Amino acid sequence: DGDVFNYYADGKWNKSSSGKFVPIINPTTRKIHFKVQACTQEEVNKAIESAKIAQKLWAKTPLWKRAELLHKAAAILKEHKAPIAECLVKEIAKPAKDAVTEVVRSGDLVSYCAEEGVRILGEGKFLVSDSFPGNERTKYCLTSKIPLGVVLAIPPFNYPVNLAVSKIGPAIIAGNSIVLKPPTQGAVAALHMVHCFHLAGFPKGLISCVTGKGSEIGDFLTMHPGVNCISFTGGDTGIAISKKSAMVPLQMELGGKDACIVLEDADLDLVAANIVKGGFSYSGQRCTAVKVALVMESVAETLVKKIKDKVAKLTVGPPEDDCDITPVITESSANFIEGLVMDAKKKGATFCQEYRREGNLIWPLLLDNVRSDMRISWEEPFGPVLPVIRINSVEEGIRHCNASNFGLQGCVFTKDINKAMLISDAMETGTVQINSAPARGPDHFPFQGLKDSGIGSQGITNSINMMTKIKTTVINLP
Ligand code: G3P
């Protein structure tokens, strides 16, 4: 019935007093693969309490020592890439090679946090008063960056390790402590990752990982008075969290409906390669996936054919075989995707392949001649289905992109850099990629969504800054 894993708090592995477990369903077999502890609110209280105590000492630990431990954790994480990747394969059906890449990328991210942290936290500012009207040079102001306290990290199922460390690394280098609530699917991979931090020798209580049902501990965590910052990546839950949380800085990365605008002069082979990679890697379960292609009518026929040829080459099957397209995360997700497909069918979209599904496995599907009255034009399938909308002008493409409630990333393909820059300015998204599919990385680049796609900016440097406050000391001269 699946191995049972303990949660991590106060520097040790614990069983919950609830005596209950949360099952983790393998998306491929649709059977229980692992179980994690269903923590109680009391256990969450204890984890936050010990995080609070550990943080006070950690904030006084020299920056270079914090960095040293993070480098150690990063190295251990990379050494453990095989067993962690194996969990990702079983829990979230990530293709085997991508699962390893996620862990290696995470180790690199943690090391970069250590390096960036010692640089940006190692310097402050010195201001003098006489630059403001009416003041003499009688006040000297010194600024430094201080930690916020306890950071609550909630990553999503699609990167349970990488999107956890993208919160843990910046928080820890900046002198905060971490309470991690991993996604249920991906929880065991996250616990393994936390074990690497444990082995690196961080003080007890500084990092904890509580597992459990969202209905039992979700709101309790996000509304907890002991939490001083929330960094969340995921879906609509983030909007609910932002309404319920009070007086804590929020970092949120939510959904996206990333548009790809294709101009007449674009290199269509490049576009096709990027649309297939951007739209179908990890079966489209990325917030930065290409989720709608807006293609100039004059090149649409040729481009659709090129994409179709590439889609035909995608391998479909279990993640263990490193297939390109693997089962989507849950049955309800597969049902939702199917609902979008059926709606498009009813309303007359052109199916470039036949729709096919077995269990949670959905074959890649390209839909041409999609119109804006179809749900797939606006909703994110989080699955291997990509709509193509044919446009007659660039303005039409920009209008569609900006009419979305999301604004994560977008991309434009053209050989004309001037046009590309103007389109980038006009697109209401946090990032616009010119001649490449949307992507979060490299992980030190700023990453942010406009509108319903998020609050604040991520990327290593921005996250470190976000997880600190400015403290000033003013010396008043006689
Ligand atoms: O869906 C999570 C988002 O952060 C995507 O990351 O690296 O696939 O662009 P990436």
Side-chain angles (χ1 to χ4, degrees):
D1 262 5
D3 296 334
V4 183
F5 289 83
N6 293 346
Y7 75 100
Y8 184 73
D10 209 29
K12 51 188 194 300
W13 300 93
N14 310 281
K15 292 194 191 321
S16 170
S17 60
S18 72
K20 293 187 190 139
F21 309 102
V22 183
I24 297 173
I25 314 280
N26 179 328
T28 313
T29 62
R30 292 188 289 157
K31 295 205 167 78
I32 296 175
H33 201 94
F34 297 129
K35 285 177 187 162
V36 290
Q37 305 289 326
C39 289
T40 62
Q41 296 186 347
E42 194 40 47
E43 285 155 351
V44 167
N45 273 337
K46 278 196 186 140
I48 293 177
E49 195 46 45
S50 102
K52 215 178 195 170
I53 295 165
Q55 191 271 328
K56 299 274 181 243
L57 274 175
W58 184 244
K60 293 192 168 58
T61 304
L63 190 48
W64 66 266
K65 270 197 186 168
R66 290 186 229 156
E68 205 171 73
L69 277 180
L70 281 173
H71 280 303
K72 202 167 161 195
I76 298 173
L77 191 56
K78 284 188 180 180
E79 279 165 27
H80 289 232
K81 64 178 185 231
I84 298 175
E86 179 65 21
C87 291
L88 293 172
V89 168
K90 302 297 181 199
E91 291 183 276
I92 64 163
K94 185 163 274 199
K97 272 195 200 133
D98 293 351
V100 174
T101 306
E102 172 171 348
V103 185
V104 173
R105 174 182 179 183
S106 300
D108 290 338
L109 194 156
V110 171
S111 289
Y112 198 105
C113 286
E115 286 168 17
E116 186 71 346
V118 290
R119 285 185 209 119
I120 64 174
L121 298 166
E123 59 182 42
K125 270 188 180 171
F126 172 57
L127 293 86
V128 288
S129 49
D130 63 344
S131 59
F132 197 85
N135 280 269
E136 298 299 320
R137 200 182 171 90
T138 51
K139 290 174 189 287
Y140 293 166
C141 177
L142 303 165
T143 78
S144 64
K145 287 176 181 151
I146 56 166
L148 297 176
V150 178
V151 174
L152 172 63
I154 309 182
F157 80 81
N158 61 354
Y159 286 96
V161 175
N162 185 266
L163 282 169
V165 301
S166 74
K167 304 171 192 313
I168 296 172
I172 293 295
I173 191 67
N176 300 285
S177 58
I178 275 276
V179 174
L180 171 68
K181 163 65 180 76
T184 294
Q185 275 170 282
V188 177
L191 287 165
H192 271 69
M193 174 272 294
V194 167
H195 183 56
C196 299
F197 283 80
H198 171 81
L199 293 175
F202 283 90
K204 72 170 188 163
L206 191 73
I207 299 170
S208 58
C209 184
V210 290
T211 52
K213 289 202 175 79
S215 55
E216 177 71 18
I217 58 168
D219 279 355
F220 190 73
L221 273 163
T222 54
M223 295 164 76
H224 200 288
V227 165
N228 307 112
C229 169
I230 302 175
S231 179
F232 174 93
T233 308
D236 291 348
T237 318
I239 296 179
I241 292 173
S242 73
K243 288 182 182 151
K244 286 182 201 162
S245 65
M247 284 298 286
V248 293
L250 298 177
Q251 185 181 47
M252 299 253 161
E253 189 229 312
L254 311 180
K257 185 72 185 170
D258 294 8
C260 171
I261 302 183
V262 183
L263 271 56
E264 285 162 313
D265 69 339
D267 173 343
L268 296 184
D269 289 312
L270 180 74
V271 180
N274 273 278
I275 283 187
V276 172
K277 189 165 183 281
F280 295 102
S281 48
Y282 189 38
S283 306
Q285 298 173 107
R286 297 164 54 237
C287 22
T288 49
V290 171
K291 294 201 181 106
V292 59
L294 303 159
V295 185
M296 286 298 282
E297 177 69 57
S298 58
V299 292
E301 206 63 43
T302 318
L303 179 63
V304 165
K305 165 128 195 10
K306 285 180 189 288
I307 300 174
K308 204 175 147 182
D309 290 347
K310 285 189 185 293
V311 167
K313 293 197 183 104
L314 294 174
T315 53
V316 182
E320 288 82 357
D321 295 352
D322 204 35
C323 289
D324 298 312
I325 304 294
T326 54
V328 296
I329 193 72
T330 56
E331 193 170 340
S332 68
S333 171
N335 292 343
F336 175 76
I337 297 162
E338 185 164 296
L340 294 180
V341 171
M342 292 309 147
D343 173 78
K345 185 169 198 167
K346 201 171 67 199
K347 293 174 182 159
T350 307
F351 278 55
C352 299
Q353 299 81 17
E354 228 173 278
Y355 174 66
R356 189 174 164 199
R357 170 183 171 186
E358 277 170 27
N360 293 357
L361 186 61
I362 294 178
W363 269 251
L365 182 61
L366 183 69
L367 300 174
D368 194 5
N369 296 305
V370 166
R371 291 187 324 261
S372 32
D373 62 331
M374 300 175 191
R375 286 175 56 202
I376 191 98
S377 300
W378 308 106
E379 295 178 45
E380 50 170 350
F382 237 66
V385 181
L386 181 70
V388 174
I389 298 181
R390 297 180 177 216
I391 52 173
N392 291 304
S393 68
V394 172
E395 289 69 30
E396 199 184 322
I398 294 170
R399 254 199 319 275
H400 185 94
C401 167
N402 292 351
S404 171
N405 57 319
F406 292 118
L408 190 57
Q409 292 207 0
C411 60
V412 52
F413 285 84
T414 171
K415 293 193 186 98
D416 186 333
I417 188 65
N418 295 331
K419 273 191 195 162
M421 288 305 298
L422 290 172
I423 293 168
S424 169
D425 280 352
M427 286 171 86
E428 292 167 2
T429 60
T431 300
V432 174
Q433 305 266 353
I434 298 173
N435 292 327
S436 184
R440 172 166 49 112
D443 292 332
H444 66 304
F445 280 13
F447 180 49
Q448 54 282 315
L450 305 184
K451 300 190 268 185
D452 285 353
S453 288
I455 299 175
S457 178
Q458 300 177 73
I460 290 168
T461 314
N462 286 344
S463 291
I464 294 173
N465 283 327
M466 185 269 169
M467 291 174 182
T468 58
K469 257 194 175 179
I470 302 287
K471 164 83 186 253
T472 61
T473 302
V474 180
I475 302 168
N476 289 277
L477 303 175

